[in-house]
Amino acid sequence: MKDCISLAGFMGSGKTSVGKALLPMLGGYEFIDLDSYIEAMTGRSIPEIFENSGEGSFRQMEQHALEDIFMTGEMLGSKTLLSLGGGTLTNEACARMIRRKTECFYLRGREETLLANIRKEPGSRPLLPEGKDQRARLSRLLAERVPVYEATAHHIIDIDGKSVEETAVDILMTLQ
């Protein structure tokens, strides 16, 4: 098992929730949610960063944050469970780092599952605002991102019809 495990997938796939459920099962790992890390680093919320600085700037922040996390983790010899943002892997440099430095799990869900999960937290997704074209936008983003998720991940875990805990157990079983 690598010293760093990453959870990738589309928004609404449960990366943070699954990570929090998986953490005590792993023992000895530190949990880092990349979005929360960036918010702490910048003092701004993700929607605020998107609104004021744009997606390109945010993707650069993700890359710098990952570089910092990996450098610090390697220096300290710490084990890390990392929850990525839904678009982190769209930055080629980030995808290469994740593939090389982590054991990456793609949490794969059907469009209906992801949309239902996203709608539980309205207003929290800057790239998928509420409205009549939300499903169409989700479909377009998925079509762009799924090939990147699949090319980067070492393992694919299906989330449809499973609880957060069941998904965490699936990851744990794959690691063992």
Side-chain angles (χ1 to χ4, degrees):
M1 187 179 334
K2 288 193 178 182
D3 284 343
C4 189
I5 298 164
S6 63
L7 304 178
F10 200 75
M11 57 187 105
S13 63
K15 300 174 296 289
T16 299
S17 299
V18 169
K20 288 178 180 177
L22 179 61
L23 189 63
M25 297 176 194
L26 292 172
Y29 277 73
E30 173 189 2
F31 180 70
I32 299 175
D33 176 90
L34 190 59
D35 284 348
S36 296
Y37 187 91
I38 292 168
E39 287 178 335
M41 192 173 72
T42 63
R44 298 187 293 165
S45 71
I46 301 304
E48 185 182 347
I49 294 168
F50 268 81
E51 185 178 320
N52 297 326
S53 304
E55 183 179 1
S57 179
F58 178 73
R59 298 297 170 215
Q60 285 302 113
M61 290 178 194
E62 285 180 312
Q63 182 177 337
H64 294 309
L66 283 175
E67 290 165 352
D68 184 51
I69 290 165
F70 290 134
M71 184 175 62
T72 303
E74 288 166 5
M75 285 175 18
L76 298 176
S78 59
K79 293 182 176 187
T80 306
L81 175 58
L82 182 60
S83 171
L84 303 173
T88 304
L89 300 181
T90 62
N91 175 324
E92 196 174 311
C94 290
R96 276 195 311 272
M97 269 191 281
I98 293 299
R99 178 80 185 163
R100 191 174 71 249
K101 295 184 174 279
T102 78
E103 186 86 9
C104 182
F105 287 84
Y106 164 33
L107 304 185
R108 178 173 62 189
R110 288 190 323 265
E111 205 172 289
E112 297 77 29
T113 301
L114 298 171
L115 193 57
N117 290 345
I118 290 165
R119 287 181 173 162
K120 290 177 188 172
E121 297 179 52
S124 65
R125 314 291 178 166
L127 289 179
L128 207 59
E130 298 169 62
K132 60 181 174 24
D133 67 340
Q134 189 178 39
R135 180 181 284 278
R137 178 125 174 92
L138 183 140
S139 294
R140 283 193 306 276
L141 284 171
L142 268 178
E144 293 168 10
R145 293 180 179 183
V146 165
V148 177
Y149 297 150
E150 290 176 346
T152 305
H154 299 92
H155 311 280
I156 297 174
I157 303 290
D158 288 309
I159 64 164
D160 297 309
K162 294 180 190 170
S163 70
V164 166
E165 292 75 19
E166 289 168 326
T167 303
V169 169
D170 284 352
I171 293 170
L172 186 64
M173 298 305 288
T174 302
L175 287 167
Q176 296 173 340

